[in-house]
Structures are given as structure tokens and as C-alpha cells.
Amino acid sequence: MYSEGVKRSENKSEAFASAGLALIAESGIQAVSVRSVAAAAGWSAGALQKTFATKEALLKAAVELMVSRVEQRMDAVPFSGDVVEYLATLVKETLPLDPVRRDEAIVWNAFAAEAAHTPWIAEILIQQDEAVLNQLADVLRSMGNAAPEETAAGIIAVSDGFALRMLYDPDRSAQLEGALTPLIKQLLA
């Protein structure tokens, strides 16, 4: 879980961002304050304020850290030659199938809810969505997919929907995970 990684970081900026992620995963974005993040990171409020001038800067660093962690996991997925299995494995890296990915899904959805009222958060999420869409479309294009952007958008929609459903109905996680490969096959057809 995110809270386990907070104390391990020696980089102040990363420690604060990680502490912010842990607080969001545990209690939502409203739990993020200078005091709460500094305390969770094991630093003073003054050290946090010297590192991040505003709460917005801290939240930006937190979401960027989370995105970086997910991207590292996704980049580590080897291509086995089976397109459907490769895409399903990539999607699974974004699903709340273990405590770390559950925290990431909670944080992502907290930011998504806040994005409806906070343009700078919306911009970060839109940029990330575009990057993932373009990356998936490139993979699909290289594999001869006739409609790579549309197929990539469908895969992202499935991923987002499954992640949200698994958060509020974790008892259906195995059922949804089992439905993933057939849905990706349909999207590729």
C-alpha cells in the first residue's frame, strides 16, 4: 500500500508526494493539508512548504508520482506474441487487484471526481489519457489494427469501468478479470 512507501523515500519531494498519495488513498483529497502530509512523511510543515509552495504543486507531484509508478509497471510487461494477452496484461496493471493497485485506483478516481471542478486536475488527467491512448494506438497500429485510436479508446473505457466497479464491488473482481480477455478480443475484431 502507499503508506508503506512513504518512510522509505530519502528524497523530500518524493516523500511528500508519496505521503499525499497515501492520505488520498486512505481518506480522499480533502485529507491533504500541509500538516497532514508533513506528518505522514516524517518532515516538518516548514520543510514541505519549502519543497512545495502550494497545495496544488504538491497534488501535481503526487499524481505525477503515481502515473510514473504505473507506467514503470506497464513498461515492464513483456510482449509474448499474443496481442490479446499482452493488452489484457497491460489493463490488469491498472486494475485494483492488489493493495497497491487498489490505492492507485482510489487515488485516480478521487482526482477524476475532483477534475470536474478543478481545471488543472482535469488537464493532468487529460494529458495522461492522451499519452496512454497514443501509446496503445501505436501498439495496435503496429499490429495492423484497422482502427487503432477507436480500439485504444475502447480498451481504456473498459479499463476505467472495470477499475471503478472493482473498487465498489470487489467481490466481482474475479468475474470482471475473467471477462477482460473476451472483451479485448471483441474490441480487436
Side-chain angles (χ1 to χ4, degrees):
M1 293 191 309
Y2 275 167
S3 56
E4 294 170 358
V6 172
K7 300 289 185 198
R8 284 187 235 152
S9 177
E10 293 183 24
N11 175 316
K12 266 195 295 189
S13 179
E14 186 174 324
F16 291 135
S18 191
L21 290 173
L23 286 168
I24 295 167
E26 292 167 14
S27 304
I29 289 177
Q30 68 279 2
V32 173
S33 70
V34 169
R35 281 196 180 120
S36 65
V37 173
W43 291 85
S44 70
L48 187 146
Q49 290 173 318
K50 286 179 184 174
T51 307
F52 296 106
T54 65
K55 181 178 174 179
E56 179 179 326
L58 171 63
L59 289 172
K60 283 181 180 178
V63 76
E64 288 168 3
L65 177 61
M66 183 190 70
V67 166
S68 171
R69 290 173 177 174
V70 174
E71 285 176 345
Q72 286 176 348
R73 276 201 323 271
M74 292 178 82
D75 289 345
V77 173
F79 180 62
S80 64
D82 181 340
V83 177
V84 173
E85 190 56 39
Y86 175 68
L87 292 172
T89 302
L90 287 178
V91 170
K92 287 177 188 178
E93 288 300 329
T94 69
L95 298 179
L97 297 171
D98 61 37
V100 169
R101 290 182 284 176
R102 181 171 174 73
D103 282 357
E104 289 168 352
I106 290 168
V107 169
W108 186 262
N109 281 290
F111 274 103
E114 194 67 28
H117 306 288
T118 311
W120 68 263
I121 293 176
E123 186 58 35
I124 289 172
L125 300 186
I126 289 167
Q127 287 174 0
Q128 182 57 30
D129 285 347
E130 286 297 315
V132 170
L133 183 113
N134 291 333
Q135 185 177 11
L136 271 177
D138 288 346
V139 169
L140 291 164
R141 193 175 295 107
S142 73
M143 296 171 178
N145 186 276
E149 287 83 9
E150 293 81 1
T151 304
I155 291 169
I156 291 168
V158 166
S159 175
D160 288 349
F162 276 29
L164 185 59
R165 179 73 185 271
M166 288 176 174
L167 283 177
Y168 68 78
D169 192 3
D171 293 340
R172 296 221 187 259
S173 292
Q175 177 188 28
L176 292 167
E177 187 178 358
L180 184 60
T181 298
L183 276 171
I184 288 175
K185 280 183 184 176
Q186 287 180 340
L187 288 169
L188 293 176

